[in-house]
Amino acid sequence: MRPDSASPVLPFLIACAGIATFSAMDVLMKGLSIELGAYNAVLWRTGTGTIVAGLIYFASRPKWPDKATMQIHAWRSLFVSGMALSFFWALARLPMAEAIALAFVAPLMALYMAAIFLGEKIGPRSIAASVLGLAGVIVIVAGKLGGNDYSDEALLAVGAVFLSAIFYAYNLILARRQAKMAEPMEIAFFQNFFVAAILALGAPWFLAVPDASHAPHILGAAILATTSLLLLSWAYARAETQILATTEYTGFLWAMLFGWFFFDEAVTLPTFAGALLIVAACLIVARKAPHGDPIEPAAA
């Protein structure tokens, strides 16, 4: 089992970079989900990602994963499939900043799932940071959603985001276990491969071949998603879930910027206030002193 870093600061910063890269991928995936549908957007992105990651992975002549590692690759990919489909279906129907903000219940869930599934001790600083970050999300959502009327489909999209958040919270737990057992490039390849394989089961009913004009966005999304996965896998192998989960909140800062730049979404005072609370939460948890790795080899 790979030991944690002596300080959580570098893994925390690497995880922040992974979230930023993932947020940039969301911009491309929102457009693809609107034009192709969430199923085809995710299927073609992960299929392309399998090729991109596979070229790099097999060029290094890797040792084939053992049975336990292969099982966790497949198991996590099952939850990633559900997470991606529900989130990008919602993203095609909600403004980007709103969807990201609503999804921020996931890190809060992950803190407590870490205690259940990984045996991590949840310290008062991590609890305070999660509550502060959640308060920031509430401020943002109240300012952005308050008083607006939504269609039935938009309300279903809100429910889809929360479903995605449940999948994502457990995905964070699995990411910690997986990162302890495999190298980032191995994780990137097998996650793309298994997700594409799982989604391909629905191809006879849902598959649509995209126009050639979509190819650059599909390739770009695949490269960004793979890069994000590499960065996050490296970070989760070296710091606990409760430290890194709060970096998810920085995704709203990117959603705020990308939403304004690409989709002309206004940035309001509640958005700034909530963002400040989120940044404060991240700074609090980043200063947390790490303790021993609670994961026993048998549990991983």
Side-chain angles (χ1 to χ4, degrees):
M1 301 293 285
R2 185 179 294 105
D4 285 351
S5 297
S7 169
V9 174
L10 183 57
F12 183 85
L13 294 176
I14 294 296
C16 285
I19 296 301
T21 307
F22 195 81
S23 298
M25 183 270 295
D26 283 344
V27 175
L28 296 177
M29 287 297 291
K30 179 178 174 72
L32 290 170
S33 295
I34 291 172
E35 296 178 17
L36 303 176
Y39 171 81
N40 281 286
V42 178
L43 176 61
W44 286 100
R45 189 206 76 190
T46 52
T48 304
T50 300
I51 297 172
V52 172
L55 289 173
I56 302 172
Y57 176 60
F58 287 108
S60 66
R61 299 181 180 274
K63 180 182 177 182
W64 196 251
D66 59 27
K67 181 179 178 180
T69 304
M70 192 67 79
Q71 285 176 338
I72 198 167
H73 287 327
W75 183 240
R76 185 187 176 197
S77 296
L78 182 63
F79 286 90
V80 170
S81 299
M83 175 192 74
L85 282 179
S86 54
F87 180 76
F88 291 119
W89 185 88
L91 190 61
R93 291 160 176 81
L94 292 173
M96 185 173 175
E98 291 180 14
I100 298 295
L102 291 169
F104 280 152
V105 294
L108 185 62
M109 294 177 186
L111 285 173
Y112 300 98
M113 285 186 179
I116 297 171
F117 295 108
L118 300 183
E120 292 185 5
K121 181 180 179 181
I122 307 300
R125 182 175 291 180
S126 292
I127 294 174
S130 69
V131 172
L132 186 61
L134 184 61
V137 172
I138 292 172
V139 169
I140 292 164
V141 173
K144 198 156 185 71
L145 306 186
N148 289 341
D149 294 326
Y150 286 95
S151 65
D152 291 340
E153 189 173 64
L155 290 174
L156 286 174
V158 170
V161 172
F162 281 108
L163 176 62
S164 177
I166 294 172
F167 285 129
Y168 193 35
Y170 189 59
N171 167 68
L172 292 174
I173 303 304
L174 294 176
R176 171 71 168 162
R177 290 185 175 182
Q178 186 185 36
K180 284 287 183 180
M181 301 171 69
E183 295 298 325
M185 200 65 240
E186 177 184 319
I187 294 172
F189 169 71
F190 281 105
Q191 182 164 302
N192 276 294
F193 172 77
F194 278 120
V195 171
I198 291 168
L199 295 182
L201 296 176
W205 299 276
F206 306 114
L207 180 67
V209 179
D211 187 85
S213 63
H214 293 118
H217 285 179
I218 292 173
L219 179 60
I223 292 173
L224 288 170
T226 300
T227 302
S228 176
L229 186 56
L230 290 173
L231 293 171
L232 291 171
S233 297
W234 187 95
Y236 271 88
R238 292 161 176 82
E240 292 178 355
T241 300
Q242 62 177 309
I243 295 175
L244 299 182
T246 312
T247 64
E248 301 291 325
Y249 292 130
T250 64
F252 185 83
L253 304 178
W254 294 108
M256 181 176 64
L257 175 62
F258 294 149
W260 167 75
F261 188 80
F262 292 103
F263 306 111
D264 198 28
E265 295 178 1
V267 180
T268 63
L269 182 59
T271 299
F272 277 116
L276 288 176
L277 291 174
I278 292 168
V279 171
C282 292
L283 292 176
I284 289 171
V285 80
R287 294 178 58 194
K288 177 187 177 295
H291 54 75
D293 182 15
I295 307 175
E296 297 295 333

